[in-house]
Amino acid sequence: MGNRLKGQSSPYLRQHAENPVNWYPWCDEAFERAEKEEKPVFLSVGYSTCHWCHVMAHESFENQEIADILNQNFISVKVDREERPDIDSVYMSVCQAFTGSGGWPMSIFMTPAQKPFFAGTYFPPESGPYGIGFMELLTMIAGKWRSDKESLLNSADQIVASLNSGKKSGKPENGGSLPERGASLFEQSFDKEYGGFGAAPKFPSPHNLIFLMLYAKLYKDNRAQRQVYTTLEQMRRGGIFDHIGFGFARYSTDRYFLVPHFEKMLYDNALLILAYCTGYKLYNDLDLLDTAEKTGEYILREMTGGEGEFYSAQDADSDGEEGKYYVWQYDEICRVPRMERGMEFCNYFGITPQGNFEGKNIPNLLNGNKITDEFEQERQVLYKYRLQREKLHLDDKVLTAWNGLMICGMCCLYRVTGKEHYLVAAKSAQTYIEKYLTEGDCLYAGCRERQRSVRGFLDDYAYETAALLGLYEVTGDGTYLKRAGQFCKEAIAQFASEDGGYYMYGCKNDRLITRPKETYDGAMPGGNSMMAYCLVQLARLTRDQQFRQAARQQLAFMSGEAQHYPAGYCMFLTALLLSENEPPQITVVPEEGDEPGKILSRLPLYADVRILEKAEGNYQLLNQKTTYYVCKDHRCLPPANQAEVSQ
């Protein structure tokens, strides 16, 4: 048994390599065969840690009867959405138009010319009260293709025409009021009782919190500060945070941040590290720093490869059950060897005989208990005990964009703690990207076992540029700044649109039925938002005229896009605030023994810092102690032994 997915780099595709379905990866051969045999194409898009992808795989793709229908009537194509975000984006817009929502697994039926005529997400194998079953749907579409193919072809043409007509970009405007309007929208949707915004499910969306913290700092907005602090604290206390092994799950299924969707994603944890580090600096709360460091510990322990590369995700399922790896019985904990304080541990973490999740328990601190390491020994015992359970699937492909984001996270941890191992981790991951994921100034989207996937997309260039800027900010090494400029210029060359903004895929990528230009932020900041940030930073740091012009154009374009709902464009709003508010410039002359990491940890995140190796020219030691030369608000302050800049 086996199909054409054998030998693919994607763990998701490999999960389906033994299916009785005659799967193809996305390739010319599949569509050429569909054309030759006059068959429709069934496209299934998902990712390796997706719970409902697993369910549909077990119910339908491992079902011989369903596989026979697919093999006889369709050409079946499997796509990993994380490896091919371009394909996912194009057809997700179709799915959302058909169903009013989206998600994975995504199921698309299309012509051999890649034009879709029907779309959905998960289908059960058989029809029931919740809708049509997959077997019946396949039979119905196969019959329609044989009896009335012309109507399906016409429908597909209309759908593609609608996609390509698209909405035009909003009229560029001065974005002066956008941050205030964005903050106001968050205030309206803030859950005052339990933190977060809107109703369940609640996604962390840390880039929204980062924007609100910068906005609160610049505008002295106490309401925004409270919203962010409440949310950060509630997430740390809730079950969305893994109190045994650390790190954050993807989102909370309830209003309280208690019950998560248990999979863990690299990008979520990278963004949350950034948010909690920023929160620590803003609120001077050590619990927030502790959360950031514990999340970093999880990444370095469980999500980092032998050459410093960061893996993509950990699954939610084990033994075929979502969350089984993470939940506990009260009696089970009390029986674990060396858990002499098992009952006290349970009381502290809200674990009861009745359970808080389907008769079992998700450890949490929503009971209001003080965050403390008092039970650290017991936690380590339970962590080692938990390792004996069925091992979670690890998606070990290395994605350029996500690695870039985690490099930013590690740089931020180094900046606020001064701990060298975070900087080492950031540099190692960057070395891996340069070694395996670049070709001159061109990037690849990802690799697994050093086997590259496809050429990079906008997100890859934007996030990698941000990573290099982060490394430059904490090291002062100009080679990182130069490399950031090279990748950003390549992004402009490949992805820039004549009517503003940047396309998702560029002139060196495969051509699809439409060319999306995504401008909103989703679970991660969008590529156009991140480009705005990178261009603003490069314009300021290099004074390069090309970057200055590109930054002005991108801010104007994104201002038009964000007019209708600014809260959906928070990374852009952050870039806008940074462009309008020059950060303080701090030059530091260190006394002997005062290390760069320690100096950085004492200074605000919102500042440009230059640390000299020794006194030089106009920069001399004052009182033989570390001396700070601060320039802010268009004026320079006298040298001082303490930096007079707020966090």
Side-chain angles (χ1 to χ4, degrees), residues 223-242:
R223 292 171 299 182
Q225 280 203 30
R226 286 195 298 272
Q227 291 162 24
V228 175
Y229 184 80
T230 301
T231 302
L232 289 173
E233 183 182 38
Q234 190 79 357
M235 288 195 298
R236 170 65 171 86
R237 289 180 169 278
I240 191 174
F241 181 75
D242 178 4

Side-chain angles (χ1 to χ4, degrees), residues 26 28 43 51 55 89 114 133 160 240 273 289 299 306 320 406 434 485 511 598 626 635:
W26 183 277
D28 292 340
L43 170 67
H51 170 70
V55 173
S89 175
Q114 303 176 9
V160 172
I240 191 174
I273 286 172
L289 178 60
I299 292 296
M406 186 53 76
E434 289 283 0
R511 285 291 176 270
K598 292 178 181 178
T626 295
R635 60 194 177 92

Side-chain angles (χ1 to χ4, degrees), residues 459-477:
D459 284 12
D460 299 304
Y461 285 85
Y463 281 104
E464 170 60 3
T465 301
L468 288 160
L469 288 170
L471 282 163
Y472 171 69
E473 287 169 357
V474 297
T475 64
D477 185 342

Side-chain angles (χ1 to χ4, degrees), residues 23 55 60 87 137 143 199 285 330 341 362 452 456 484 492 495 506 545 604 613 626 628:
W23 292 113
V55 173
S60 294
I87 297 170
L137 177 66
D285 187 322
Y330 180 90
R341 294 200 300 166
I362 300 168
R452 290 171 175 170
I492 294 170
F495 304 97
Q545 205 51 42
E613 290 186 8
T626 295
Y628 303 89

Side-chain angles (χ1 to χ4, degrees), residues 179 211-221 225 282 573-574 576-584 606:
F211 155 68
L212 283 172
M213 282 188 276
L214 180 57
Y215 176 84
K217 174 183 174 62
L218 294 174
Y219 284 77
K220 312 299 182 191
D221 189 317
Q225 280 203 30
L282 180 62
L573 295 182
T574 298
L576 188 62
L577 287 175
L578 291 172
S579 74
E580 295 172 345
N581 298 272
E582 187 84 7
Y606 179 60

Side-chain angles (χ1 to χ4, degrees), residues 212-284:
L212 283 172
M213 282 188 276
L214 180 57
Y215 176 84
K217 174 183 174 62
L218 294 174
Y219 284 77
K220 312 299 182 191
D221 189 317
N222 292 328
R223 292 171 299 182
Q225 280 203 30
R226 286 195 298 272
Q227 291 162 24
V228 175
Y229 184 80
T230 301
T231 302
L232 289 173
E233 183 182 38
Q234 190 79 357
M235 288 195 298
R236 170 65 171 86
R237 289 180 169 278
I240 191 174
F241 181 75
D242 178 4
H243 292 267
I244 305 302
F246 308 148
F248 284 87
R250 187 161 169 245
Y251 62 85
S252 175
T253 63
D254 57 36
R255 186 184 168 194
Y256 323 106
F257 290 105
L258 172 62
V259 180
H261 180 49
F262 290 91
E263 66 183 315
K264 292 179 181 176
M265 313 301 290
L266 181 68
Y267 62 80
D268 281 323
N269 284 281
L271 285 164
L272 283 159
I273 286 172
L274 291 168
Y276 277 92
C277 285
T278 306
Y280 160 65
K281 282 292 191 179
L282 180 62
Y283 304 108
N284 195 29

Side-chain angles (χ1 to χ4, degrees), residues 244 302 318-319 324-326 328 332 335-339 380-392:
I244 305 302
E302 298 192 31
S318 57
D319 291 323
K324 184 176 181 180
Y325 183 82
Y326 293 103
W328 302 85
E332 176 188 20
R335 290 196 305 267
V336 171
R338 294 174 51 220
M339 282 294 289
Q380 291 184 25
V381 168
L382 285 186
Y383 175 75
K384 291 176 182 176
Y385 176 84
R386 196 175 73 177
L387 289 174
Q388 300 169 23
R389 295 175 173 175
E390 180 181 318
K391 191 175 181 181
L392 293 169

